[in-house]
Amino acid sequence: MVDSPAAETGGIELIALDIKTPKEKLKPTQPRNQTGQLDTLQVYKQLREQDKEEKRLGKLLRLFGNGEMKFSHSVQFNAVPDWSSQYIAYSNLKKLIYTLEKEVNQQGQSTGADAESSPLLDNHKGDPDGAFAQALDHELEKIVKFYQLKEPEIFKETEDLMKDEEAFEADHEALLGDGDSGNQVNRRTSVGGYRARQSSIFKDWGFGGRKSTSVSRPNLERIDSDDSDDDADEQTGLRRTKTSGSNVSTTSPEQSNKLRRSTTGGFNDIESSQLSMANESGATLKKRMISLYVSLCELRSYVQLNKTGFSKVLKKYDKTLDRKLKQKYISEKVDITDTFKQETTDKINDRVAQIEQSYANLNTGGDVETAKRELRLDLREHVVWERNTVWREMIGIERKAQAANLGIRRTILGGEGDANKRHRQGDEESEHTKEVDTPVGRIRLPRFMLTSTFYALVICCVVFVCLLSYPIMNQREQQNCLALVVFVSLLWATEAIPLFVTSLLVPFLVVILRVVRTDARPHDRLDSKQAASYIFSAMWTPVIMLLLGGFTIAAALSKHNIAKMMATFVLSKAGTRPRNVLLTTMFVSMFSSMWISNVAAPVLCYSIIQSILRNLPPQSAMTKSLILGIALAANIGGAASPIASPQNLIALENMSPSPGWGIWFFIALPVCITSILLIWILLLLTLHPGRGTTIVPIRPIKERFTGTQWFIVAVTALTIGLWCINQSIEGIFGDMGVVAILPLLLFFGTGILTKEDFNNFLWTIIILASGGLALGRAVSSSGLLSTIASRITPLTADLSLYGVVAVFCALILVVASFVSHTVAALIILPLVREVGGNLAEPRPNLLVMASVLTCSAAMALPTTGFPNMTAVMMEDPMTGVRYLRVRDFITRGVPASVITFAVIVTLGFGLMRAAPGL
């Protein structure tokens, strides 16, 4: 539990999250068996469950601490389920903001507002502040009324509890106050105090003269009957006390016998019954304390969460509509309301402190800190049990976007191939088998055996076995390598198993099939032990370090909002002319792809242009142009720098010597810029985005760069600069992969990036690239590559260098349109390098460079690459209708691919001929 609003969460008190002691292990209960001994098995099970909850808790803490959890999700997580309708309607207010924005920016046009919001807008025509303030007033009134209802109720229960606790103390003193020294010991060790529903449980026995409170005995019976097991555990807790060293002990049987011997024989039975009732009353008193502690914490969180909600939604309103309502409304409406005054929070805190002190007096020997920890543990367990479904949903939010096209969810037995068909809580269990008709009758088969994924896997395995059994090559290691290459390529192309898992198959099969040979003549086959060392050394190369360096720079630029601030600033200068906005957006998308990868760049650009999309009519030509333009430009931007996409790094590994960044930019940037200009013209001619379109200008982020942001920019510029002059400093750093260590050291070493950021790298991409490098080394070592190249070379003997480039680029364009760009590069680039080396005019680097540029030019289908898939999934948040249809993409994607191909084999070829080292 948080004692004060957490700065990291915007002042929200996180229910059940003890941020002050996140690493502190939960204190388990002490289950005992029938003989009274500690049940170690049960304790072990409790600790395992608590470890699981700690991990889930840690995940949510990181989401809150890193600011990665949206406030709407925060409300969902922290809201008390029974009060869910009484919180600020944050999502509805956001929708109203967008509706008001559309009305303001489209005056004289149809607002497109829904029926519910139209009356509100009509009453405040031309005054969005009034319309929004009216909606806020409604929410404020709802919250205040609910709080005024709950506060007296909970405070009254707190007062009753304090009276009952005082009565319990007095009655306990009366019971054990006969002056016997042994009783004095037992007074300190026998009763710990737990929550009860009456002030004196001894009134029927003649001890104590205090009057009972309004809380009656039936309530005691009702609560005590809730869970007998809990009561049994709490009876044990009644005998705990704080001794020296803060150790907790229990009353021994000898002490109990001494207590009974200290009284007269006629009262033994009566006193035993009295002690039993004291224990029952103490257990019930503890329950009431915990229950009220939870209620008070939830009430405090209710106030803080709603106050933060008003602040955030007003900030969003001011930012979206460029107004200044927040300060005025907060000061004139929210802050003066009794519910949100500091005095109100202080009153709640005072009662929380009373509960903690009472719990300490009766249960932990006066140790308030121990009482706080135990109460927070009870609070955490209450929330985790009550909102278990919310835990699971919140933890999975940030992972879904990364699953696209990585084969993560396209599994045989995983059952998550289609997001719409996944089993959810409350759904009926689906059958795992299905009856099918066969020539021998109806048989029941597992459902996974009837899926296309399973059929594809079976076909791949059959082809693999056939190639191993029927030799085509003269040498066994080449035959095995051919079977390996075909098998892995089919698995990558069909995604029958996840792509990165297929990559892990490469070293396994290389060793099992003994594919690799010694580099020196006579090229003897390596045994399994030597092959394992050989192939694993090929999986970690300077190229992988370069990939990690690129991920690190991208993570820093994204996490600290630098990429968004720079992109927003550029787009804010584009004006309101549709053609200028479209062109600027495409170049921003390309530039972003160069540094934060073409996976993250389109997502960033789509988030920036949301204000434009919201104010355009449904199915507007400008909307389609913007979404298509961002996707196509992101694909092209994947070729603009060596770290923009994995296939570029694979190309560097297949080029000897590897070209520096300066040479790469010399070739790639003119090709990319020219391609984008031509695609821009294509979109203007086919979609006519300027007809009847009014663009809402994008406002730049007004925040200034912090010291941390300037440091990130400086380190990024230094790293890129060293990469550009790598050939001049090879005597110092040796390779670009060594330079890539700099951002890792400086960003992770200073805490700008954390271990969680490192864990969030796309490790599936790294494994995929490693497997591809291992496959290339195996194909080269086995001699298969030379054999295939020697058979292809005569076919290209009559072709010029330009003809060979055109043929291979066309081949790659087709292949990369149906499989991912990375997979196409993994399969074809090693062959291209070998063929280029056998030409009459050997130019392997030139052929590899042209081929890898063509990989990024393949963008004909919605499923070709990350940017395309992101674009085709974009939908109107108001209607849920997708902006693009498959037809829209194909009719522009195919021409865009052809245009880029033409630029590569003309302008690009000329630049490659002129570039040194190619």
Side-chain angles (χ1 to χ4, degrees):
M1 193 66 210
V2 183
D3 293 330
S4 61
E8 294 85 355
T9 58
I12 306 170
E13 179 182 28
L14 305 183
I15 289 294
L17 305 184
D18 190 355
I19 294 181
K20 287 189 175 181
T21 56
K23 297 183 179 179
E24 181 181 313
K25 289 295 181 184
L26 304 184
K27 187 175 181 181
T29 57
Q30 299 182 2
R32 299 181 180 274
N33 54 26
Q34 295 179 350
T35 62
Q37 299 296 322
L38 192 66
D39 193 335
T40 55
L41 178 61
Q42 290 298 322
V43 171
Y44 172 72
K45 290 180 178 179
Q46 287 181 1
L47 288 173
R48 289 195 63 184
E49 290 298 319
Q50 290 165 0
D51 284 341
K52 292 179 182 178
E53 295 304 330
E54 284 291 317
K55 291 179 181 178
R56 299 164 76 186
L57 168 64
K59 184 66 177 178
L60 283 171
L61 279 173
R62 291 190 293 272
L63 283 173
F64 278 107
N66 295 337
E68 296 174 5
M69 181 177 286
K70 293 182 179 180
F71 184 75
S72 56
H73 299 152
S74 164
V75 173
Q76 178 189 7
F77 171 70
N78 278 288
V80 180
D82 292 341
W83 302 353
S84 58
S85 62
Q86 304 300 328
Y87 287 84
I88 183 173
Y90 186 78
S91 297
N92 291 340
L93 289 172
K94 278 179 59 178
K95 292 180 181 178
L96 177 59
I97 291 173
Y98 298 147
T99 304
L100 290 171
E101 179 193 28
K102 186 175 292 187
E103 181 183 271
V104 169
N105 292 310
Q106 294 184 352
Q107 291 181 359
Q109 301 179 15
S110 175
T111 62
D114 56 37
E116 293 182 357
S117 60
S118 292
L120 175 64
L121 301 178
D122 291 341
N123 293 335
H124 298 272
K125 198 66 175 178
D127 181 18
D129 287 358
F132 194 63
Q134 180 178 334
L136 291 175
D137 291 342
H138 175 75
E139 296 298 318
L140 184 62
E141 182 182 3
K142 175 187 71 176
I143 292 167
V144 170
K145 285 184 178 179
F146 180 76
Y147 183 82
Q148 291 174 346
L149 179 68
K150 297 300 295 185
E151 183 198 73
E153 175 186 331
I154 296 176
F155 283 8
K156 178 64 167 58
E157 290 185 22
T158 306
E159 294 172 1
D160 292 343
L161 177 65
M162 294 299 102
K163 294 178 182 178
D164 293 348
E165 186 263 334
E166 292 176 2
F168 180 84
E169 288 275 14
D171 292 336
H172 179 230
E173 293 292 330
L175 174 64
L176 301 178
D178 56 6
D180 187 274
S181 60
N183 288 349
Q184 296 296 328
V185 174
N186 284 291
R187 183 187 313 168
R188 294 190 302 268
T189 60
S190 62
V191 180
Y194 291 71
R195 52 182 168 175
R197 285 290 183 182
Q198 58 185 44
S199 60
S200 176
I201 53 101
F202 308 122
K203 60 183 180 182
D204 294 333
W205 301 94
F207 292 93
R210 301 180 73 90
K211 295 181 180 180
S212 64
T213 67
S214 60
V215 186
S216 60
R217 190 177 191 83
N219 288 329
L220 169 64
E221 296 173 354
R222 176 177 58 83
I223 293 181
D224 285 347
S225 64
D226 286 345
D227 193 338
S228 59
D229 292 337
D230 288 345
D231 290 347
D233 291 339
E234 288 161 354
Q235 299 289 341
T236 304
L238 287 172
R239 294 185 290 274
R240 295 184 299 180
T241 187
K242 183 175 183 295
T243 61
S244 61
S246 300
N247 294 322
V248 179
S249 62
T250 58
T251 305
S252 65
E254 291 77 13
Q255 288 173 317
S256 299
N257 290 335
K258 183 177 179 181
L259 174 63
R260 282 191 285 272
R261 288 197 301 271
S262 67
T263 60
T264 61
F267 285 92
N268 280 346
D269 293 339
I270 295 176
E271 184 169 340
S272 177
S273 299
Q274 294 167 356
L275 289 176
S276 176
M277 288 296 294
N279 286 342
E280 292 179 6
S281 177
T284 311
L285 193 60
K286 178 186 177 184
K287 286 185 177 180
R288 289 180 62 198
M289 286 183 177
I290 295 173
S291 177
L292 271 176
Y293 182 83
V294 171
S295 297
L296 285 167
C297 290
E298 289 177 336
L299 189 64
R300 180 170 58 185
S301 174
Y302 178 81
V303 173
Q304 294 171 343
L305 194 64
N306 282 301
K307 186 172 183 178
T308 304
F310 279 109
S311 177
K312 285 188 172 291
V313 80
L314 280 163
K315 179 181 178 181
K316 187 168 191 67
Y317 172 82
D318 287 350
K319 180 180 178 181
T320 303
L321 277 79
D322 196 21
R323 314 289 287 192
K324 295 181 180 180
L325 180 62
K326 177 182 176 181
Q327 184 176 0
K328 177 182 178 182
Y329 191 89
I330 292 291
S331 60
E332 296 181 1
K333 295 289 185 71
V334 177
D335 287 344
I336 64 173
T337 305
D338 290 340
T339 303
F340 297 113
K341 288 182 178 179
Q342 183 60 39
E343 293 82 354
T344 300
T345 304
D346 292 340
K347 287 193 296 183
I348 300 175
N349 290 335
D350 291 342
R351 282 157 178 79
V352 169
Q354 289 178 8
I355 297 292
E356 292 170 345
Q357 185 63 56
S358 297
Y359 188 95
N361 293 339
L362 296 177
N363 199 53
T364 63
D367 188 344
V368 177
E369 290 302 317
T370 301
K372 287 181 179 181
R373 284 198 298 271
E374 292 188 5
L375 286 170
R376 290 169 182 167
L377 172 59
D378 289 313
L379 176 63
R380 174 154 41 194
E381 291 174 346
H382 164 79
V383 174
V384 170
W385 176 83
E386 187 178 55
R387 309 173 205 174
N388 189 43
T389 303
V390 177
W391 279 96
R392 295 176 181 175
E393 291 177 355
M394 302 304 291
I395 289 175
I397 286 172
E398 79 287 0
R399 287 292 179 190
K400 294 180 180 178
Q402 295 182 0
N405 203 37
L406 291 178
I408 294 175
R409 292 164 62 184
R410 295 185 59 179
T411 57
I412 297 176
L413 299 176
E416 292 190 355
D418 186 348
N420 295 323
K421 297 180 180 179
R422 290 200 302 271
H423 183 269
R424 292 178 171 82
Q425 184 176 4
D427 294 347
E428 295 183 1
E429 288 291 335
S430 58
E431 293 186 9
H432 298 288
T433 60
K434 183 178 180 180
E435 287 189 356
V436 294
D437 293 323
T438 65
V440 295
R442 295 181 64 83
I443 60 175
R444 184 171 290 274
L445 296 174
R447 284 187 176 273
F448 76 85
M449 296 181 64
L450 304 176
T451 62
S452 59
T453 303
F454 180 75
Y455 295 151
L457 181 60
V458 170
I459 293 173
C460 294
C461 292
V462 170
V463 172
F464 179 58
V465 173
C466 290
L467 288 173
L468 288 176
S469 305
Y470 301 99
I472 300 175
M473 298 295 176
N474 296 327
Q475 299 182 23
R476 189 62 202 176
E477 62 269 23
Q478 293 186 15
Q479 181 66 37
N480 289 352
C481 190
L482 176 64
L484 167 64
V485 170
V486 173
F487 181 52
V488 170
S489 299
L490 288 175
L491 289 177
W492 273 332
T494 60
E495 296 188 42
I497 60 177
L499 297 178
F500 70 96
V501 178
T502 302
S503 292
L504 294 175
L505 266 178
V506 173
F508 177 80
L509 293 176
V510 164
V511 174
I512 297 298
L513 299 176
R514 294 185 61 198
V515 166
V516 293
R517 306 181 303 181
T518 58
D519 293 332
R521 294 182 183 277
H523 302 303
D524 296 326
R525 293 177 72 183
L526 298 178
D527 59 30
S528 297
K529 183 174 180 58
Q530 293 172 327
S533 300
Y534 182 89
I535 202 64
F536 279 124
S537 66
M539 295 186 69
W540 191 271
T541 67
V543 168
I544 300 300
M545 283 307 306
L546 191 61
L547 188 59
L548 283 175
F551 283 166
T552 302
I553 290 175
L557 293 176
S558 298
K559 180 178 180 179
H560 292 272
N561 216 28
I562 298 172
K564 186 172 184 178
M565 292 176 71
M566 295 174 64
T568 305
F569 174 79
V570 174
L571 287 174
S572 67
K573 304 299 182 182
T576 57
R577 293 189 64 183
R579 61 177 59 192
N580 293 346
V581 172
L582 176 59
L583 182 61
T584 306
T585 303
M586 293 176 68
F587 275 115
V588 167
S589 178
M590 186 205 81
F591 186 78
S592 301
S593 297
M594 292 175 61
W595 310 116
I596 63 172
S597 83
N598 63 353
V599 178
V603 178
L604 170 67
C605 293
Y606 291 139
S607 67
I608 294 174
I609 66 167
Q610 281 300 312
S611 60
I612 296 177
L613 299 181
R614 286 194 303 265
N615 290 280
L616 290 173
Q619 298 301 312
S620 166
M622 185 62 188
T623 300
K624 294 181 179 181
S625 299
L626 283 171
I627 296 176
L628 278 170
I630 288 173
L632 300 177
N635 278 298
I636 295 172
S641 77
I643 62 171
S645 54
Q647 63 263 23
N648 298 351
L649 299 174
I650 296 168
L652 289 177
E653 184 70 13
N654 284 280
M655 299 167 76
S656 180
S658 297
W661 278 52
I663 295 176
W664 191 287
F665 287 152
F666 173 76
I667 299 168
L669 287 181
V671 170
C672 293
I673 292 172
T674 304
S675 299
I676 287 179
L677 289 173
L678 294 175
I679 294 173
W680 171 65
I681 295 173
L682 171 69
L683 295 177
L684 292 179
L685 295 177
T686 59
L687 290 174
H688 306 288
R691 291 181 178 175
T693 302
T694 302
I695 299 295
V696 177
I698 294 177
R699 289 183 291 274
I701 298 175
K702 298 179 180 179
E703 300 173 4
R704 292 187 175 183
F705 263 32
T706 63
T708 300
Q709 289 172 324
W710 281 117
F711 178 75
I712 293 171
V713 171
V715 171
T716 301
L718 173 64
T719 304
I720 295 173
L722 292 176
W723 279 336
C724 291
I725 60 172
N726 175 68
Q727 292 181 341
S728 302
I729 57 175
E730 279 186 349
I732 300 174
F733 292 101
D735 193 277
M736 287 188 290
V738 177
V739 176
I741 298 176
L742 283 177
L744 276 86
L745 292 175
L746 294 175
F747 291 158
F748 286 102
T750 57
I752 290 174
L753 296 178
T754 65
K755 181 180 68 175
E756 294 309 316
D757 297 312
F758 189 76
N759 292 339
N760 287 332
F761 282 176
L762 289 176
W763 289 102
T764 51
I765 294 293
I766 294 173
I767 296 297
L768 177 62
S770 298
L773 297 176
L775 181 63
R777 181 71 66 86
V779 171
S780 177
S781 175
S782 67
L784 176 64
L785 200 58
S786 298
T787 301
I788 295 176
S790 65
R791 296 183 182 181
I792 293 177
T793 300
L795 301 177
T796 61
D798 297 333
L799 295 176
S800 63
L801 177 61
Y802 179 79
V804 174
V805 169
V807 169
F808 274 97
C809 287
L811 174 64
I812 290 179
L813 185 69
V814 174
V815 173
S817 295
F818 293 94
V819 300
S820 72
H821 299 165
T822 305
V823 170
L826 289 172
I827 297 171
I828 299 178
L829 290 188
L831 178 61
V832 168
R833 179 196 64 194
E834 198 70 20
V835 171
N838 292 337
L839 293 176
E841 182 187 353
R843 300 293 292 268
N845 281 7
L846 185 149
L847 204 57
V848 171
M849 186 71 184
S851 300
V852 76
L853 293 178
T854 308
C855 285
S856 295
M859 44 191 163
L861 303 176
T863 55
T864 305
F866 294 100
N868 294 18
M869 288 187 296
T870 305
V872 81
M873 294 303 295
M874 287 286 294
E875 59 183 31
D876 187 340
M878 302 298 292
T879 63
V881 178
R882 291 182 182 176
Y883 290 119
L884 297 177
R885 293 171 293 181
V886 174
R887 184 179 64 184
D888 297 326
F889 219 109
I890 294 177
T891 54
R892 278 82 186 178
V894 172
S897 299
V898 174
I899 288 172
T900 309
F901 167 78
V903 173
I904 292 171
V905 298
T906 53
L907 175 62
F909 180 75
L911 293 171
M912 285 183 274
R913 289 294 299 265
L918 292 184

